[in-house]
Amino acid sequence: MEQEQSFSHSEGEAGEFEARGLRSYFEYRDLGVADATNGAVVAHVIKAREGHNATGQWHVHDCSFQFYYVLKGWARFEYEGHGIRTVKPGDCVVQPAGIRHREIEHSEDFELIEIVSPANFSTRAEDEATESAEA
């Protein structure tokens, strides 16, 4: 089924970051994609929030697609079945639907672009990962 879309232009100079969002240690800048795609996709720029650190909480996003591209800084994530990965500028990550993961730490200047489908996805906290996370 084809989703109706509308034109959207999110101007960089007018873009504002908000401290509210999925993670308290990040700030989010909505890029207007959710409205333009009638909720099919959400896109935002995420950056580290000064003075806040990752919690290391294992979690799962209930979505059909999730992608991010690192713009600045670095972060260390752990993905169940794939171990600990350090991401840096220019790195692109596709997180398969339902993969258990956690952020361990990030630099003060960490910034990325994230695209997720659908826009209104949910996130569930998970208990400690299974042994496959250590692979």
Side-chain angles (χ1 to χ4, degrees):
M1 176 187 260
E2 197 171 311
Q3 295 278 335
E4 269 193 50
Q5 297 178 9
S6 59
F7 179 81
S8 175
H9 176 187
S10 179
E11 295 182 20
E13 292 178 1
E16 294 184 16
F17 284 87
E18 297 182 9
R20 61 187 180 137
L22 190 58
R23 302 278 169 237
S24 64
Y25 44 88
F26 288 144
E27 293 181 340
Y28 298 77
R29 177 182 161 219
D30 180 55
L31 297 177
V33 174
D35 288 342
T37 63
N38 288 313
V41 178
V42 65
H44 40 256
V45 179
I46 302 172
K47 69 178 182 178
R49 191 169 168 212
E50 187 175 340
H52 292 76
N53 298 311
T55 62
Q57 172 67 52
W58 285 97
H59 60 280
V60 170
H61 302 295
D62 293 322
C63 59
S64 59
F65 177 79
Q66 184 176 15
F67 153 99
Y68 68 88
Y69 180 85
V70 180
L71 299 169
K72 298 179 188 174
W74 59 267
R76 192 163 290 117
F77 290 90
E78 185 170 8
Y79 296 96
E80 189 168 55
H82 300 278
I84 295 174
R85 303 292 177 106
T86 300
V87 296
K88 55 194 177 310
D91 287 3
C92 174
V93 175
V94 173
Q95 293 182 177
I99 190 170
R100 293 171 69 165
H101 62 285
R102 66 186 181 127
E103 188 200 332
I104 299 168
E105 62 183 328
H106 60 259
S107 64
E108 291 181 14
D109 63 342
F110 184 54
E111 189 171 317
L112 60 92
I113 293 176
E114 181 179 57
I115 300 170
V116 186
S117 180
N120 190 19
F121 67 95
S122 62
T123 298
R124 293 180 280 118
E126 294 279 321
D127 293 332
E128 289 300 311
T130 62
E131 291 179 29
S132 64
E134 298 173 14

